[in-house]
Amino acid sequence: MLSEFILVGFSTFPQHLLPAFFLFYLLMYLFTLLGNLLIMATIWSERSLHTPMYLFLCALSTSEILFTVAVTPRMLVDMLSSHRSITFVACATQMFFSFTFGFTHSFLLMIMGYDRYVAICHPLRYNVLMSIRTCARLVSWTWAGGSVMGMMVTLIVFHLTFCGSNVIHHFLCHVFSLLKLACGNENSSVTLGVILVCVSALMGCLFLIILSYIFIVAAILRIPSVEGRHKTFSTCVSHLTIVIVHYSFASIIYLKPKGPHSMDSNTLMATTYTVFTPFLSPIIFSLRNKELKNAIKKSFQRKFSPLRS
């Protein structure tokens, strides 16, 4: 039984570029934390933002902060370290939290799509269907679902026996890199099971989001005025942009064909996806959401503008 693993994802990376990438990813990491914390603080301090949509956004920012904290600090340390080992328990813990917060993020995006569907397609029933109690219950279910998915995948993977090489060809405890190190005849069936579980959950979320937007677009097209259609659709732009970024990056990483230099490109793309997508979220919501942008400006003006008599 192995007691530790060696992460070699950065070993094949051009070593002279690591300090520059370290600084770049560190700045994105800090901005991710500060940007999402700013969104959360603004939502909690502005009473006008105490609505279901911003409650879900606050939960989304929380999941992005926790996902980033679970993965990025270790990645940054390994970029400048010559000894990139991780214990068996730490590897399992990292996998559990990365899957938990990753799936929670996807579930929250699905719930936010449902929120936009109810707001646009059933506006008169919105306050009934999306009450505070209902929203709190939905958020709780997303976190519970993410935790169940994280625990399920982690238990499936670490139930296997690792008796061969302890070298993980990735910068973190990546599930498919770990499965390649497992011994036994059930390895291929476990790999297929993990793929089916992950793909079913993620594609299920994406399908429901697409279905929500089919009804949303149909409802918007029935609005007679161009200004009304534009105003209504603008409430969905931030969420839709995050969904496209999230699933586009994931598709490029996991579905792109393997080439002769795939190790280096996979490491670069995986690190960029891990740090860049949480980095983009506060930017997109701050710039594309006029109400949130105005609330942030108002909050800064109250704190930093001189008091007027």
Side-chain angles (χ1 to χ4, degrees):
M1 187 71 173
L2 299 177
S3 61
E4 68 173 16
F5 298 99
I6 306 297
L7 302 169
V8 297
F10 292 121
S11 299
T12 59
F13 205 73
Q15 298 301 298
H16 65 283
L17 294 178
L18 282 180
F21 276 100
F22 170 83
L23 181 60
F24 177 63
Y25 289 138
L26 176 62
L27 291 175
M28 285 203 296
Y29 170 66
L30 295 175
F31 183 88
T32 299
L33 296 182
L34 294 175
N36 283 293
L37 285 172
L38 176 62
I39 288 176
M40 293 169 62
T42 303
I43 291 173
W44 283 111
S45 61
E46 293 292 331
R47 294 185 63 85
S48 61
L49 300 182
H50 292 181
T51 62
M53 182 175 73
Y54 292 105
L55 171 64
F56 297 139
L57 176 56
C58 192
L60 188 73
S61 293
T62 303
S63 71
E64 290 181 335
I65 288 174
L66 294 175
F67 175 81
T68 304
V69 170
V71 175
T72 307
R74 171 80 202 200
M75 183 191 79
L76 292 173
V77 170
D78 284 347
M79 290 183 79
L80 299 183
S81 174
S82 58
H83 184 65
R84 299 171 177 131
S85 64
I86 184 170
T87 65
F88 188 88
V89 174
C91 188
T93 303
Q94 185 188 69
M95 178 179 289
F96 167 72
F97 284 118
S98 62
F99 269 96
T100 295
F101 302 136
F103 276 110
T104 299
H105 185 273
S106 296
F107 294 153
L108 284 168
L109 288 177
M110 177 185 67
I111 295 300
M112 293 173 76
Y114 173 71
D115 171 73
R116 292 298 82 209
Y117 159 76
V118 175
I120 293 172
C121 299
H122 303 283
L124 298 180
R125 301 178 59 198
Y126 182 77
N127 290 331
V128 176
L129 295 175
M130 302 301 292
S131 64
I132 296 298
R133 178 177 296 182
T134 301
C135 294
R137 190 180 297 119
L138 288 173
V139 171
S140 299
W141 277 111
T142 59
W143 283 98
S147 300
V148 169
M149 293 297 297
M151 182 63 71
M152 184 188 306
V153 174
T154 304
L155 289 177
I156 290 174
V157 173
F158 283 90
H159 178 72
L160 299 171
T161 301
F162 300 94
C163 56
S165 172
N166 67 338
V167 176
I168 299 176
H169 293 279
H170 210 277
F171 68 91
L172 52 78
C173 290
H174 189 260
V175 58
F176 298 120
S177 298
L178 271 169
L179 287 171
K180 294 178 182 178
L181 307 181
C183 309
N185 299 325
E186 72 274 15
N187 192 11
S188 58
S189 60
V190 170
T191 301
L192 180 60
V194 170
I195 292 174
L196 288 175
V197 168
C198 295
V199 170
S200 298
L202 294 177
M203 290 299 102
C205 291
L206 180 60
F207 171 75
L208 292 175
I209 291 171
I210 293 174
L211 189 63
S212 296
Y213 274 99
I214 290 174
F215 288 109
I216 287 172
V217 170
I220 290 176
L221 292 177
R222 290 195 294 268
I223 299 175
S225 68
V226 175
E227 182 181 357
R229 290 197 294 267
H230 180 270
K231 184 177 180 180
T232 303
F233 186 72
S234 65
T235 63
C236 305
V237 171
S238 299
H239 172 256
L240 191 57
T241 305
I242 293 295
V243 170
I244 292 172
V245 169
H246 177 70
Y247 279 95
S248 296
F249 265 96
S251 299
I252 292 172
I253 290 172
Y254 293 107
L255 300 181
K256 79 179 187 69
K258 307 296 182 183
H261 303 290
S262 61
M263 181 72 73
D264 294 344
S265 62
N266 283 347
T267 300
L268 178 61
M269 293 181 67
T271 51
T272 302
Y273 171 73
T274 301
V275 181
F276 197 59
T277 48
F279 165 81
L280 278 180
S281 293
I283 297 177
I284 292 172
F285 278 110
S286 299
L287 295 179
R288 300 298 303 177
N289 190 304
K290 187 176 180 180
E291 190 175 13
L292 178 61
K293 182 166 61 175
N294 291 336
I296 291 175
K297 287 181 180 178
K298 188 189 302 182
S299 179
F300 270 98
Q301 288 172 354
R302 282 202 305 264
K303 287 179 172 61
F304 298 108
S305 295
L307 294 175
R308 297 179 180 177
S309 56

